[in-house]
Amino acid sequence: MSKQHVRVPKMNLKEEGLMFNDPYVYACIKRYMNEETKAAFPSMSRLKKDSGLSEPTILASVRRLQDKGYIKILKTEGRSNKYIFDDVKKFEIFSYDFLDNPKLTKNEKAYLVNTQQYMFKEPIAQKGIIEYSTDTICDLIAIDKRTLRKYEKSLQEKDVLTLIPVTLRDPETGLNQYQRVYSFQEFANVLALKVNELSDDVEDIKKRLS
């Protein structure tokens, strides 16, 4: 497993007016950041290849990320844009193994980048759990129910996601609600669990000292 990773800030898409692909585009750019200068110079062709997204989609995401202060852009004539990043305090970890995972589509990666911050993580079992309703998840990651079901069905087929019915039902449709269980091992982001476990240990030490 690669130890290289990208730190993606926890974004509130609804409150900030961001869109579904924006955190994923952020991750694809930031993987090229120099840790000392906090700058990255990926070309558009490189970003298109890495993300699987079209140039207009990437440019739209970059504009929104810039407007909200997640990225600063310096344009240089004849060269790729210079992207500047600030340190973030609240973030999620995404390994290069995850970003390069050929098993997952661009939409599935974007879905997982968006939802990971809402998962209760269990490092020993190597899984994450979301207990929010379908409506709430759609609201949080800025997609509609039909699109959500499409992505989740595909992730189920790849053993990344398991949907477990719960007693509550959707108030509008009467259909079952689900507990969503994600396999970090299957989507190649076990590193995030290790970092999360270490962060919990640090917080525990802080509480004991205080």
Side-chain angles (χ1 to χ4, degrees):
M1 181 186 69
S2 171
K3 293 183 179 180
Q4 292 180 298
H5 65 273
V6 177
R7 295 183 177 188
V8 178
K10 296 184 178 182
M11 305 179 189
N12 189 315
L13 303 191
K14 182 180 180 181
E15 289 188 6
E16 298 180 74
L18 296 171
M19 303 299 288
F20 177 74
N21 282 313
D22 297 350
Y24 176 50
V25 170
Y26 178 100
C28 290
I29 298 173
K30 195 175 183 181
R31 73 177 296 175
Y32 295 101
M33 184 189 76
N34 181 292
E35 287 294 337
E36 293 184 2
T37 65
K38 304 299 181 184
F41 299 88
S43 66
M44 179 54 66
S45 60
R46 169 52 58 186
L47 293 176
K48 288 166 61 179
K49 182 178 180 180
D50 286 358
S51 69
L53 300 171
S54 67
E55 184 170 340
T57 298
I58 294 171
L59 290 174
S61 286
V62 167
R63 283 195 294 269
R64 287 188 292 269
L65 291 166
Q66 184 181 29
D67 289 344
K68 298 304 175 181
Y70 286 108
I71 294 177
K72 296 177 184 177
I73 302 176
L74 297 179
K75 295 185 179 295
T76 53
E77 188 174 350
R79 294 186 62 188
S80 300
N81 284 343
K82 182 178 182 180
Y83 302 93
I84 308 295
F85 296 88
D86 292 327
D87 288 326
V88 291
K89 294 182 178 179
K90 295 183 178 180
F91 57 84
E92 290 291 327
I93 292 288
F94 295 94
S95 67
Y96 284 16
D97 291 334
F98 163 72
L99 293 174
D100 294 333
N101 188 350
K103 177 179 177 180
L104 301 174
T105 68
K106 61 182 184 295
N107 292 323
E108 291 163 355
K109 290 176 183 177
Y111 168 93
L112 292 166
V113 170
N114 276 299
T115 55
Q116 184 170 289
Q117 65 177 305
Y118 303 112
M119 297 178 194
F120 172 76
K121 301 175 183 68
E122 295 187 357
I124 295 177
Q126 297 187 3
K127 66 183 180 181
I129 299 172
I130 294 180
E131 296 187 339
Y132 289 131
S133 69
T134 297
D135 284 334
T136 299
I137 293 175
C138 288
D139 205 29
L140 289 171
I141 67 174
I143 58 174
D144 57 59
K145 286 184 182 179
R146 182 178 179 181
T147 304
L148 180 75
R149 292 192 186 101
K150 177 182 176 182
Y151 298 163
E152 292 190 336
K153 180 181 179 182
S154 179
L155 289 170
Q156 283 180 278
E157 292 170 350
K158 296 176 181 179
D159 296 323
V160 171
L161 172 64
T162 302
L163 298 182
I164 302 175
V166 296
T167 55
L168 294 176
R169 291 181 178 272
D170 187 303
E172 293 183 6
T173 65
L175 298 174
N176 282 334
Q177 296 281 20
Y178 298 94
Q179 179 188 71
R180 291 166 167 82
V181 181
Y182 302 82
S183 170
F184 275 71
Q185 187 172 23
E186 290 298 328
F187 74 84
N189 205 29
V190 177
L191 178 64
L193 293 173
K194 296 183 182 298
V195 173
N196 182 71
E197 188 175 26
L198 178 60
S199 298
D200 290 343
D201 290 342
V202 171
E203 290 301 315
D204 184 52
I205 292 171
K206 287 181 179 179
K207 289 178 182 178
R208 292 183 183 182
L209 289 174
S210 64

